[in-house]
Amino acid sequence: MILQAAGLALLAALSPTTLLVSAVYLGSARPRLVAAAYLAGAIIMSLVMGLVVIAILRNTGLQHHSQRTPRYGLRLGLGLLMLAAGAVLARRKPKQPDPDNAKQGLVSRMIANPAPRSAFAVGLLLFAPGITFIAAVQVIATANASLEATTAAIVVVVVINALLVWLPLLVHIFAPGVTTHYLTSFNGWLRANGNKILVAVLLVGGLIVAITGIVGLASG
């Protein structure tokens, strides 16, 4: 259970936007304070949403052996949804950034002037659950596991999901100059390839979840 959920959480963590925001905050006037507020928002949103998803799925009884077909049907559905989302993004032509466009995205406006409060809000906003994160949590929610195992699994998923927030912050504590330099250099590559990364995450994650669902249905 934990390994499968952790693998999906790792895919969910591979968000170019998350790392871009980390780069901006760690290059600000108060890098550690602002980045720590960003991390707090990310952890709180991930934990709360994870617990909500688990509560919803557990209340439907999907962790019981008698609900095997609905459980794997849900996984198949999530996998197909991720594949569809990846296919749509792959076909859509990425918008080119327009420096003269005054209408920036909400996140762009919020990170324009880095501060702890806005960073905390950005963490909450960016870590609202996506399909891949929900797929990771449903593995935990539908497993017939003890409270201790479920708690450990959700903690692992939440920590991995915020990987691109706490890892740059941790490295920055020990090597601030090097971290800022490489994150800034990496910024341009991420902006150019962010859509491709997102498509790859959705397609790989969707394939894994869909195959798990199909195998579970076939063996039931």
Side-chain angles (χ1 to χ4, degrees):
M1 174 188 67
I2 292 182
L3 287 178
Q4 186 179 359
L8 291 169
L10 182 59
L11 288 175
L14 299 178
S15 166
T17 303
T18 299
L19 190 56
L20 285 172
V21 173
S22 292
V24 171
Y25 285 155
L26 288 175
S28 65
R30 295 180 291 174
R32 295 177 188 174
L33 179 60
V34 175
Y38 176 41
L39 175 60
I43 292 292
I44 290 173
M45 176 58 81
S46 298
L47 183 58
V48 170
M49 288 297 98
L51 293 176
V52 167
V53 172
I54 287 178
I56 292 173
L57 294 180
R58 284 283 173 92
N59 283 334
T60 62
L62 290 182
Q63 80 275 20
H64 298 149
H65 292 297
S66 60
Q67 297 294 314
R68 180 182 180 86
T69 298
R71 175 167 69 245
Y72 284 105
L74 172 64
R75 293 187 184 183
L76 176 58
L78 283 172
L80 293 177
L81 184 60
M82 292 166 67
L83 289 171
V88 169
L89 284 176
R91 291 173 61 88
R92 189 175 67 183
K93 186 178 180 180
K95 294 181 180 180
Q96 296 299 320
D98 183 3
D100 298 324
N101 189 356
K103 293 184 178 180
Q104 302 179 37
L106 176 60
V107 172
S108 298
R109 295 196 299 271
M110 292 176 72
I111 67 175
N113 296 301
R117 287 186 180 181
S118 61
F120 179 78
V122 169
L124 294 176
L125 181 63
L126 286 184
F127 282 81
I131 305 174
T132 313
F133 178 75
I134 292 175
V137 175
Q138 65 80 32
V139 172
I140 302 170
T142 57
N144 187 17
S146 65
L147 177 61
E148 292 78 9
T150 299
T151 301
I154 192 62
V155 168
V156 168
V157 165
V158 168
V159 170
I160 293 176
N161 189 50
L163 176 69
L164 295 186
V165 181
W166 62 260
L167 183 58
L169 175 59
L170 182 63
V171 176
H172 186 273
I173 292 173
F174 296 101
V178 174
T179 305
T180 303
H181 171 73
Y182 279 106
L183 280 178
T184 302
S185 302
F186 200 43
N187 233 335
W189 184 87
L190 277 176
R191 290 183 185 276
N193 297 278
N195 190 69
K196 295 178 182 178
I197 296 172
L198 182 57
V199 168
V201 166
L202 286 170
L203 293 179
V204 171
L207 190 61
I208 293 172
V209 176
I211 289 175
T212 302
I214 292 172
V215 171
L217 290 172
S219 60

